[in-house]
Amino acid sequence: MSRRTRKPLPKRNAGDRPKGARPYRGSQAERSKGHRPGGKPGARFATPAPHAAKPFKAEPAKEIAEPAPLPIKVQTVVVTADENNMRVDRFLEARFPGLSFSHIQRIVRKGELRVNGKRADSKDRLEEGQSVRIPPLKLDAPKGGGGSLSDAAAKTLAALKEMILYEDADVLVLNKPAGLAVQGGSGTTRHLDQMLEVMRDAKGQKPRLVHRLDKETSGCLLVAKTRFAATALTGSFRHRSARKIYWALVAGVPKPKQGRISTFLAKDESEEDSIMRIAEHGDEGASHAVTYYAVVETSAQKLAWVSLKPVTGRTHQLRAHMAHIDHAIVGDPKYFNKENWELPGGLQKRLHLLARRIAIPHPRGGVIDVTAPLPPHMLQSWNLLGLEADRFDPIENAPED
């Protein structure tokens, strides 16, 4: 996939900076045109009109082959370099975008999928060159026989329609509300993957998730409406052609105000919970994670609105990285561990993290570029703290690697 061309940004040294963070500066063009700290030079991140995408660059249409049909008999495939370190369930989703989450979990749980001849868990990481035995697969059968929707299904469809920020024949971008899980799990009875059942087309194809957001994170969630789009979009994420920008409210003010966080992350799991910890290179299950951040505005030096650009896409990456530099995201139940810290009056104790913007090559050419508004609890906080949501966002010029 082609990517938007950017000029590399110069780096500078900084004396006072948080552990794991390296500073970066915007380009000369970014700092020109009368821009000054605290000023508002033509906000490039102003909220667009509802349900509209604003492409930042047109690209020629690309020929992308339709994905191969699902196997009707057992087959063995070899993990490629691009698929190295990919989770088993993500590997199946990428290879066969038509599969539902429940079907993937079922074949893995039954031991029908094997890696180098051994049973595998859906969370296991694959390595380049491994052989994966894949059983016969099938798409979920359409439900309801094409008849009218039940009252419950009609309400679900209406709820999904309210979330739509962008839609065309291939793609949906939803504004996922905080508190709604993307996929099912222990104790989860309602989630987006389940809700999408009501949007099956005449051929029985259900819209497919191509990436994830944490349950309490709101904002842009990309959904493919066809297998063709799912294959292309999954490839864009795998090759890092997608640009994602998040907004967060954090405790304190990071120094320097613009920087790069580069660590290894590994999952610590217990019977009650799981959390990502900072790990060392070579630790079991450790993956490299890179995040750029920039302070957009502050409130009495006690809180900061930061814009975040993840280069990699690790579980809880932004939450773990901000806690790592001692500026945890406000309302984070897992990673906010600052002692003797009190939530300012009027702010809700909810995760203040928004998937603000996503820009990704469209499967048929051009670029999808969509922005989500602040969710109600974050908008309330912005208003209480006097933060201006249309302020210039310096993260836009952060490097892509």
Side-chain angles (χ1 to χ4, degrees):
M1 286 291 174
S2 62
R3 298 173 58 183
R4 187 182 182 188
T5 302
R6 294 179 175 275
K7 295 181 180 179
L9 301 182
K11 294 183 173 68
R12 62 180 175 82
N13 296 321
D16 181 19
R17 61 174 180 259
K19 55 186 178 180
R22 296 213 308 268
Y24 75 89
R25 299 182 64 189
S27 65
Q28 183 63 38
E30 174 188 335
R31 299 191 299 275
S32 62
K33 300 181 182 178
H35 173 59
R36 57 184 177 80
K40 295 193 296 180
R44 281 193 278 171
F45 245 10
T47 304
H51 308 296
K54 49 185 185 67
F56 63 79
K57 179 183 176 184
E59 293 185 355
K62 301 176 179 61
E63 291 294 329
I64 300 175
E66 284 280 352
L70 298 180
I72 59 174
K73 59 182 180 180
V74 173
Q75 69 172 14
T76 300
V77 299
V78 177
V79 179
T80 67
D82 285 341
E83 295 163 335
N84 185 53
N85 202 40
M86 188 178 286
R87 281 174 40 153
V88 168
D89 53 1
R90 304 286 171 80
F91 169 83
L92 286 172
E93 289 176 345
R95 288 263 183 160
F96 309 105
L99 288 180
S100 68
F101 174 75
S102 59
H103 189 44
I104 290 172
Q105 296 300 315
R106 185 164 60 250
I107 64 175
V108 173
R109 186 176 62 250
K110 289 183 176 180
E112 295 175 358
L113 179 141
R114 293 179 176 266
V115 178
N116 284 354
K118 299 179 180 179
R119 292 177 69 117
D121 186 85
S122 60
K123 296 179 182 179
D124 289 348
R125 301 274 176 175
L126 296 171
E127 297 179 5
E128 181 183 357
Q130 286 182 324
S131 296
V132 182
R133 175 196 181 274
I134 300 174
L137 302 173
K138 63 180 180 179
L139 294 173
D140 287 351
K143 297 181 179 180
S148 59
L149 296 174
S150 65
D151 289 345
K155 289 180 180 178
T156 297
L157 182 60
L160 287 169
K161 294 290 186 183
E162 284 293 315
M163 298 180 201
I164 295 175
L165 294 170
Y166 173 84
E167 181 178 18
D168 61 29
D170 295 291
V171 179
L172 276 173
V173 181
L174 301 178
N175 181 20
K176 188 192 84 66
L180 177 62
V182 172
Q183 288 184 318
S186 178
T188 301
T189 56
R190 184 172 182 266
H191 52 86
L192 260 174
D193 194 39
Q194 175 193 59
M195 294 173 69
L196 290 170
E197 290 285 349
V198 302
M199 297 188 74
R200 286 186 181 274
D201 62 19
K203 297 180 180 179
Q205 289 194 99
K206 167 190 163 186
R208 302 155 183 83
L209 302 166
V210 291
H211 70 124
R212 311 286 183 274
L213 291 177
D214 294 340
K215 180 178 179 179
E216 296 303 326
T217 302
S218 63
C220 295
L221 183 73
L222 190 67
V223 178
K225 295 173 70 175
T226 62
R227 290 185 65 201
F228 165 76
T231 300
L233 295 172
T234 300
S236 291
F237 277 103
R238 188 165 62 245
H239 295 106
R240 298 183 185 173
S241 300
R243 294 173 55 224
K244 294 181 288 183
I245 293 174
Y246 291 73
W247 283 2
L249 187 68
V250 303
V253 179
K255 294 180 181 178
K257 289 192 173 182
Q258 297 180 346
R260 179 180 186 267
I261 307 168
S262 175
T263 72
F264 284 83
L265 294 175
K267 181 177 289 187
D268 276 345
E269 293 191 87
S270 65
E271 293 183 1
E272 299 179 353
D273 201 4
S274 64
I275 195 168
M276 300 301 291
R277 63 174 174 83
I278 304 301
E280 298 294 331
H281 179 51
D283 286 359
E284 183 178 358
S287 299
H288 190 217
V290 177
T291 301
Y292 286 92
Y293 73 86
V295 174
V296 184
E297 196 172 2
T298 64
S299 177
Q301 298 301 304
K302 294 182 179 179
L303 295 165
W305 160 19
V306 296
S307 188
L308 303 162
K309 178 187 279 190
V311 175
T312 51
R314 311 305 179 199
T315 300
H316 296 176
Q317 176 177 319
L318 303 180
R319 299 163 63 182
H321 269 174
M322 294 314 294
H324 172 59
I325 65 171
D326 201 30
H327 295 286
I329 299 174
V330 170
D332 193 329
K334 286 181 180 282
Y335 299 92
F336 197 103
N337 56 4
K338 296 180 72 66
E339 295 182 4
N340 303 318
W341 194 90
E342 294 184 5
L343 190 72
L347 271 63
Q348 297 182 47
K349 193 174 182 179
R350 301 186 64 184
L351 182 67
H352 282 59
L353 180 62
L354 166 70
R356 169 65 173 175
R357 182 178 178 186
I358 188 165
I360 188 169
H362 193 286
R364 301 188 189 276
V367 175
I368 303 163
D369 189 354
V370 183
T371 302
L374 289 167
H377 71 284
M378 289 180 67
L379 181 60
Q380 179 188 40
S381 299
W382 259 238
N383 290 336
L384 284 169
L385 298 172
L387 304 176
E388 301 176 55
D390 62 348
R391 187 173 287 272
F392 173 75
D393 187 347
I395 202 70
E396 195 171 351
N397 285 340
E400 300 290 334
D401 52 23

